[in-house]
Amino acid sequence: MILIVDSGATKSDWIALNDKGEQLFLTQTLGLSPEVLTREVIEDRLANNFELSKNKDIVSHLYFYGAGCGTDRMKNFLREIFKDFFPNAKTEVREDTYAAIYSTTKIGHQGIVCILGTGSNCSYYDGHQLFQKVTSLGYILMDDGSGNFFGRKLIRDYYYHKMPQDLGIKFAKEYNLEADVIKENLYKQPNPNTYLATFARFIIENKEHPYCRGVIDKGLQQFVNNYIMQFELATKVPINFVGSIAYFLRDELATVLERNDLILGVVRQRPIEGLVEFHKETI
């Protein structure tokens, strides 16, 4: 059995294939980011999944693409956990950027590949190798244009009384905005970046409101300025995207890219489908 995993900060999509490339099952766990979770939490999330626990001894190959897997230390941390849980599996751990590349860009083709989901990232793919200009420092300092970026913006504007009154009333009805609740989730609970990203739904659902439209436009433009424009070939190759923010704001994204003379390529909500096709070619 072959397991292919696309793991973001919020959730992980798992697809199992047999040696003929036929799908055996599809399942989900919560996100498994090694940067923000302990070994115990990750082991618990694996063990609590029925399909994974049932089949863990017959997995022969595990291809894991995950948020927070950009360093050797984090890769090795996960490999040790997977080695114990899937004792007979040959395991490969790569950062989620490779999932974005393999699901949007064919081998041998050039492109800039961006992640706009709970977090954000951007890479250049020359058809064979990946290149990055920006080293991510996590959601507190970076992640421009991401779900947690927009969530942080909404909460700050609400508390600084910069959000229009009509929208602020609606915002307060949909979310618990008590200071103690927000601080509890940000400073005492796991995955504060995921918590912030839950507020992004509001800006998507109200994207026609002038305030939301302005915040979205500025956030996406900031992502273009700080990430995409780092590459000299930015205006010459397609810009591909994966992630819920890119998917649900693809019209707004197209407008911002056109304004910057950039070429919008493939936009996928989740890269897992493209990953399966990529790995089927190697079975």
Side-chain angles (χ1 to χ4, degrees), residues 81-150:
I81 296 174
F82 293 145
K83 181 180 178 181
D84 290 340
F85 192 81
F86 302 106
N88 300 308
K90 181 179 179 181
T91 300
E92 184 175 316
V93 178
R94 289 193 167 190
E95 61 182 309
D96 54 353
T97 302
Y98 282 95
I101 288 171
Y102 294 154
S103 68
T104 62
T105 313
K106 292 184 179 297
I107 292 176
H109 291 239
Q110 298 181 63
I112 291 175
V113 182
C114 308
I115 296 173
L116 277 180
T118 298
S120 65
N121 205 340
C122 181
S123 305
Y124 169 71
Y125 182 62
D126 70 356
H128 304 281
Q129 288 184 291
L130 168 104
F131 300 92
Q132 289 185 322
K133 290 276 191 177
V134 177
T135 300
S136 177
L137 296 176
Y139 76 98
I140 294 176
L141 294 177
M142 293 185 169
D143 277 2
D144 296 355
S146 69
N148 72 69
F149 171 91
F150 286 122

Side-chain angles (χ1 to χ4, degrees), residues 36 41 49 63 77 98 100 107 114 124 134 176 179 251 257 262:
V36 296
V41 170
N49 183 281
Y63 299 98
F77 173 69
Y98 282 95
I107 292 176
C114 308
Y124 169 71
V134 177
N176 188 334
D251 292 339
L257 263 61
L262 299 170

Side-chain angles (χ1 to χ4, degrees), residues 97-274:
T97 302
Y98 282 95
I101 288 171
Y102 294 154
S103 68
T104 62
T105 313
K106 292 184 179 297
I107 292 176
H109 291 239
Q110 298 181 63
I112 291 175
V113 182
C114 308
I115 296 173
L116 277 180
T118 298
S120 65
N121 205 340
C122 181
S123 305
Y124 169 71
Y125 182 62
D126 70 356
H128 304 281
Q129 288 184 291
L130 168 104
F131 300 92
Q132 289 185 322
K133 290 276 191 177
V134 177
T135 300
S136 177
L137 296 176
Y139 76 98
I140 294 176
L141 294 177
M142 293 185 169
D143 277 2
D144 296 355
S146 69
N148 72 69
F149 171 91
F150 286 122
R152 183 169 61 246
K153 172 67 174 172
L154 290 175
I155 294 172
R156 284 170 57 86
D157 281 5
Y158 178 83
Y159 266 87
Y160 283 134
H161 308 292
K162 292 183 177 181
M163 186 180 290
Q165 186 175 12
D166 63 322
L167 203 64
I169 292 171
K170 188 176 182 179
F171 190 47
K173 287 181 178 179
E174 294 197 23
Y175 296 93
N176 188 334
L177 297 176
E178 294 180 15
D180 286 344
V181 172
I182 292 173
K183 288 188 283 187
E184 169 74 19
N185 280 279
L186 290 181
Y187 304 116
K188 295 184 179 180
Q189 296 300 319
N191 291 34
N193 54 333
T194 302
Y195 168 72
L196 286 171
T198 62
F199 293 92
R201 173 182 58 82
F202 184 83
I203 205 167
I204 293 171
E205 292 177 349
N206 295 278
K207 66 181 185 177
E208 298 305 322
H209 191 286
Y211 164 84
C212 292
R213 191 160 59 243
V215 170
I216 291 168
D217 187 79
K218 290 179 181 178
L220 295 178
Q221 184 63 56
Q222 187 170 320
F223 178 82
V224 168
N225 293 343
N226 291 338
Y227 287 82
I228 296 176
M229 288 304 189
Q230 297 269 357
F231 297 104
E232 294 178 0
L233 293 176
T235 60
K236 307 297 183 183
V237 298
I239 317 296
N240 301 319
F241 290 86
V242 298
S244 293
I245 296 299
Y247 183 79
F248 290 112
L249 296 178
R250 56 192 179 276
D251 292 339
E252 292 72 19
L253 194 55
T255 298
V256 172
L257 263 61
E258 183 179 3
R259 187 171 67 220
N260 290 273
D261 296 321
L262 299 170
I263 305 164
L264 179 61
V266 177
V267 179
R268 288 185 184 270
Q269 182 177 359
R270 301 185 306 164
I272 191 68
E273 295 89 355

